[in-house]
Structure formats: C-alpha cells, structure tokens
Amino acid sequence: MKVGRRSIAVLLAVVLAATLTLIGGRATPAAHASAKASTVRIWTDSYRKAAVDKVTSQWGKNRGVNVDVVVKDFGKIQDDLKTVATGNAPDVIVGAHDWTGALAANGSVVAIFPTKAVKKQIPAYALKSMAYGGKQYGMPTQLENVGLIVNTGLVKLPKTWKQLESEALAFKRKGAGHLAIAVPQGSGGDAYHMYPFFSGLGGFVFGQAKNGALNPQKLGVANKTFLKNSSLIDKWNTEGLIDSKVDYGQAKNAFLDKKAAFWITGPWETEALQKSGLSFRISQVPKIKFRAVPFLGVQGFFVTKFAAGHGVATLAKDLVANYMAKAGPQRDLALANSRFPANTVAGKGVHDAILSQFGKAGAGGVPMPNIPEMNSVWSELGGAWVKATKGPGATKARVAFATAARNIAAKIAGG
C-alpha cells in the first residue's frame, strides 16, 4: 500500500508529539530533583537560629543554594534524627561534639574530609572531639567552657589557689547567706561545673589508647593521684568552701546579688553579666595541685545520612567541611552567638571582652568525652561530688569517688 507524503507527515507529527510527551513525563521528576538539590536544610536550636541563618545564607548566596534553617529542641535533635520522615529530614545539623560517637555509630551522620589547610587553623583537640573511629564526622565551629567570674568590686582577682580559698572564705564570713564559691551542684550533682576542681586534683574521666582514641577501660575517676589529693575535698567541705546544696539558680542569684564574689559559669550568662552593672573579670580557676582546666564543649556542624538521598551531599559537605571551617564565617558565628570560635585565626579577631576572657579561661581544657560510654559517667561523677561536699554527714571523698568509679565500670561493662 502506498503511503502519501501527507500521511507520512501526519505520522511523523504523531510520533514527535508522543516523543515530546514522554520526554515531558520524564522531565517532571528531574525538575523536582533539581529543586530539591538547590535547598539545604539545617536543624539548629532557637538560641543559634539567627546566627546560623546569617552565616549560612551568605554561603547559599555564593553557591546559588537556598538554605532552610529549621528550629529544633537541641536536646531532641539526636533522637529526632532516628524517627524523622525522609522528606522532612535535615541535610546538616548543628550539634555538640559529645554526640559524635553515638551519631557515627548509628549511622545518622557521615564522614567529612577537611583539607590540610583547614586542619592548620582548627586545633587538633577540637577536630579530635568531633572524630570517631579514625574518621572526622563534624566541623568544630564554637568552643565553650566555664570560667571563674570574679566580682572585682568585692575582692581581688586571685592569682593562686591559696589566694582564692582565703578570699572566698573571708567573704563568706562577712555576712549571713554569703557563699564562698558559687559553683552549682544541687541534689542531682553537676560534674560539668565541678570539672576544674576535679582536674585540679589530678582527676580525669577516660585515658587514651595507643592510637589516641579514648579508652573507656582506662577510667581515671578514682586514679591514684586523684585519691591521694582527695583529702582536700574533705577540707573544702568542712570549711564550707564548696557546698553541694547550692543549685544553679542559687549560685547565679548569689553572685548577681553580691552574696558571692566568685561564680563558676559559662558564656551562656553573657547577657546577665552585661546587665548586672557589676565590675568583674573572668579567668581560669587557679592551679590547685594541677592546672584546674575546665571541660570544653565543642559545637559544630554535621552532614547527615539524608543529604545523599536529597541529592545535596556534595553541597552539604562543602558547607560543613569547607565554608564553616573558615575564619570569616566562624568569627561571624562567634560574635552573633557569644561563643569563642574554634578557628584560631578567627579567635585572634574576637575583641569582645567577655567572649575573649572566656576563651582564655578555656586554655588547655579537656573536650568532654564523645564516646557513648560517657553516658555512664555523668550521674555517678556528679553524685560523688554531692556526697563529698554536702556539709555535715558528708561521705569521705576517697570513698565517694572510689564507689563512683566502680559503679561507672559496672555500667560500661553491662552495656
């Protein structure tokens, strides 16, 4: 059968239309994928939201990427990562370094690979705090720690432990309700705020394996050196230098009301200090038997497992491992969020007096252990301090900390 040119033209037109329809059908999902690839979703808490928005939006602008910063309860971010629907999941989270072990172990976050240039500007201890199993999982951006806040209108800034002890006790005797050192504990204890006193007596939580990784089997809560110095805790308890009945609110109010000349707290109280009208200085707790260094809290950015599924893994890793490691973004984040930057070049550019003093007070500090076994430590270590410094009827420090060490070891062994 002959087929005319007109018929052929019609047939070609039909085929072409059908082809375009099929291409269009396939193009729709591709367009959606492209839209998704242009958005990176970040989870952070309300306290950091504005700062994260400000800093990451510049990266987004430079890269032609939309950045969606979502507010989450900081304490629930880890658990929410386990249950969130993929479509609502974050590509990046802002979190604490001591989450690293658990997040890496359960696969919630993926490894990143900072360049040598990046590593030169971030202290090794800060990078290590967000590493696990020999891999880097987070980029440290902010450091926080407690310091000794001294009301210089009431006492002199102590340069030695002996001076601190003497001035604190003298001030306590001056009036009813006065505290010697306003360090918070309360009935549940507070191993974090008490850490300078712990390290100053030779205490530590975990030792290290040969490769530098934390070894939960090398527990230092009741090591020989610390136990040898623990009688000083009994002395502090007897003279009322430290009182475990003082909780966080009482410690803060006592300092702001001039009923304590010394307060142990961190940069989260910057606004309260600025508004107090008090003359104060911030320093590290003076050396006791050893340098009384604080625990360091390191905050940073992680890339989640969801970034790959959203088609933005490369973008998310660029944001976290490259952009957020730089001095400029870290300085901007620090100034907007009252936390000292991890980047050393950025740190030199911080001229805010309070932030700078807290940064110096953290020198030599110990990053809180980031391995899951640390969960077995907090309550026992805090509880030992409570028992040993509760005033009359207190447990001898040697007994309290030795018992805590046994309990911690048993919890770790039990999984």
Side-chain angles (χ1 to χ4, degrees), residues 64-338:
V65 177
N66 178 51
V67 179
D68 180 21
V69 180
V70 180
V71 172
K72 299 290 289 186
D73 183 326
F74 197 70
K76 295 181 180 179
I77 288 178
Q78 293 185 84
D79 289 337
D80 287 352
L81 277 178
K82 300 175 185 177
T83 59
V84 65
T86 301
N88 298 323
D91 306 302
V92 172
I93 60 170
V94 179
H97 80 274
D98 53 335
W99 298 359
T100 305
L103 289 175
N106 67 28
S108 293
V109 296
V110 299
I112 58 174
F113 301 93
T115 64
K116 290 182 179 179
V118 164
K119 291 180 179 179
K120 285 182 180 179
Q121 294 189 5
I122 309 292
Y125 69 81
L127 282 168
K128 191 175 179 180
S129 76
M130 300 188 87
Y132 182 74
K135 295 181 179 181
Q136 192 70 37
Y137 283 93
M139 177 53 61
T141 56
Q142 297 177 293
L143 308 177
E144 68 177 10
N145 52 269
V146 298
L148 176 69
I149 321 299
V150 182
N151 184 327
T152 53
L154 298 175
V155 295
K156 294 180 180 179
L157 184 71
K159 294 182 179 180
T160 67
W161 174 257
K162 184 177 180 181
Q163 288 176 345
L164 171 58
E165 187 174 17
S166 176
E167 289 195 39
L169 291 173
F171 180 81
K172 184 177 184 295
R173 290 191 292 267
K174 284 185 177 181
H178 281 202
L179 300 180
I181 300 178
V183 53
Q185 292 190 72
S187 60
D190 194 325
Y192 176 77
H193 282 86
M194 292 301 296
Y195 195 83
F197 305 100
F198 185 61
S199 64
L201 294 175
F204 63 92
V205 178
F206 298 123
Q208 296 182 343
K210 290 183 179 179
N211 64 359
L214 293 174
N215 185 345
Q217 306 307 316
K218 291 186 176 181
L219 197 61
V221 171
N223 70 78
K224 291 181 180 179
T225 299
F226 176 78
L227 290 182
K228 180 181 177 181
N229 295 323
S230 65
S231 60
L232 283 177
I233 300 175
D234 300 327
K235 176 176 178 286
W236 301 341
N237 177 65
T238 301
E239 63 192 14
L241 186 70
I242 295 173
D243 185 348
S244 69
K245 293 186 290 296
V246 176
D247 62 23
Y248 191 91
Q250 291 171 321
K252 177 178 180 177
N253 291 336
F255 185 82
L256 296 180
D257 293 341
K258 298 183 181 180
K259 290 191 175 182
F262 302 99
W263 181 26
I264 303 291
T265 194
W268 47 89
E269 292 293 359
T270 294
E271 186 176 358
L273 288 168
Q274 289 172 331
K275 293 180 178 180
S276 69
L278 302 173
S279 298
F280 62 88
R281 288 284 302 277
I282 304 166
S283 68
Q284 193 168 89
V285 173
K287 174 183 175 181
I288 306 174
K289 291 292 185 177
F290 300 90
R291 191 171 178 182
V293 298
F295 257 150
L296 287 180
V298 182
Q299 281 92 45
F301 288 62
F302 297 89
V303 177
T304 76
K305 64 179 182 181
F306 300 104
H310 295 164
V312 296
T314 300
L315 287 169
K317 289 179 180 180
D318 176 63
L319 170 63
V320 173
N322 180 30
Y323 186 77
M324 289 312 306
K326 294 180 178 179
Q330 289 218 8
R331 183 187 62 247
D332 291 345
L333 187 64
L335 295 176
N337 198 227
S338 298

